[in-house]
């Protein structure tokens, strides 16, 4: 996570409550709008034009494509939520037709974890945002530290490493 998505530990992670209703707004029997674990497989999902109809239809196939990754990534234990970006009532903001931003209810956010190389200016800005919004007063701030003995990270409430070799 830190190396691939948080700019080599220079970024931060926003932690969500996956049980919140926001992550379960899909229709019954639909993969859209509900947070789900990524499936790790050696085989890509596929279909042939003119073949038998797919169980669940095209929407099911497309979500399976978006929810499947190679087993090499299984250590991430990733979860995703696939949404229909054509639903402008729920997901109205797109930036230059490429990046879609949408509102996440503040109560969905449970924490922020700063990478061990996150710049002080970034941390200060996140603290400003949290302090300025009372609806985010419950958000827990934690810090990632490299484990001194293993190829791993430790997460705790201290901005300074609390464990040394």
């Amino acid at each position: 996570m830190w190396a691939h998505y948080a700019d080599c530990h220079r970024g931060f992670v926003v932690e969500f409550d996956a049980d919140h209703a926001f992550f379960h707004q899909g229709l019954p029997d639909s993969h859209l709008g509900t947070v789900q674990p990524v499936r790790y497989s050696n085989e890509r999902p596929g279909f042939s034009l003119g073949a038998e109809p797919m169980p669940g239809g095209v929407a099911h196939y497309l979500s399976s494509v978006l929810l499947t990754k190679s087993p090499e990534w299984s250590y991430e234990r990733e979860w995703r939520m696939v949404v229909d970006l054509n639903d402008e009532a729920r997901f109205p903001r797109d930036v230059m037709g490429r990046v879609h931003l949408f509102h996440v209810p503040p109560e969905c956010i449970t924490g922020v974890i700063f990478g061990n190389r996150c710049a002080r200016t970034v941390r200060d800005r996140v603290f400003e945002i949290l302090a300025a919004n009372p609806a985010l007063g419950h958000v827990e701030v934690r810090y990632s530290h490299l484990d001194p003995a293993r190829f791993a990270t430790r997460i705790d409430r201290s901005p300074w490493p609390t464990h040394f070799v």
Side-chain angles (χ1 to χ4, degrees):
M1 171 176 56
W2 292 108
H4 299 292
Y5 304 116
D7 194 20
C8 294
H9 303 265
R10 288 187 289 265
F12 60 90
V13 171
V14 176
E15 183 180 63
F16 298 101
D17 174 4
D19 293 327
H20 190 279
F22 176 80
F23 298 108
H24 300 280
Q25 50 187 308
L27 300 171
D29 299 324
S30 172
H31 288 276
L32 296 175
T34 300
V35 68
Q36 302 170 69
V38 166
R39 182 176 155 261
Y40 299 97
S41 172
N42 285 316
E43 297 180 19
R44 294 178 189 268
F47 75 96
S48 303
L49 293 176
E52 292 294 315
M54 293 173 283
V58 175
H60 180 76
Y61 165 73
L62 291 175
S63 65
S64 71
V65 168
L66 297 172
L67 293 169
T68 303
K69 291 174 75 169
S70 168
E72 286 82 15
W73 297 101
S74 64
Y75 66 91
E76 291 183 334
R77 299 180 316 214
E78 183 177 351
W79 287 63
R80 293 181 178 176
M81 185 169 88
V82 179
V83 297
D84 181 356
L85 295 177
N86 292 318
D87 184 350
E88 291 185 23
R90 288 171 51 198
F91 308 107
R93 300 183 209 150
D94 80 88
V95 180
M96 298 171 45
R98 297 179 56 188
V99 177
H100 292 265
L101 305 174
F102 47 90
H103 175 78
V104 175
E107 62 272 12
C108 290
I109 302 170
T110 58
V112 174
I113 306 169
F114 293 109
N116 69 304
R117 296 172 62 201
C118 189
R120 173 66 132 199
T121 55
V122 172
R123 292 191 317 237
D124 289 347
R125 181 66 182 126
V126 171
F127 277 114
E128 287 174 16
I129 292 167
L130 293 174
N133 188 340
L136 296 173
H138 65 281
V139 173
E140 182 181 11
V141 175
R142 297 188 315 268
Y143 301 84
S144 170
H145 303 286
L146 296 181
D147 187 297
R150 299 180 316 126
F151 291 107
T153 57
R154 292 185 182 188
I155 310 295
D156 61 44
R157 290 189 175 108
S158 172
W160 302 280
T162 56
H163 38 270
F164 298 96
V165 179

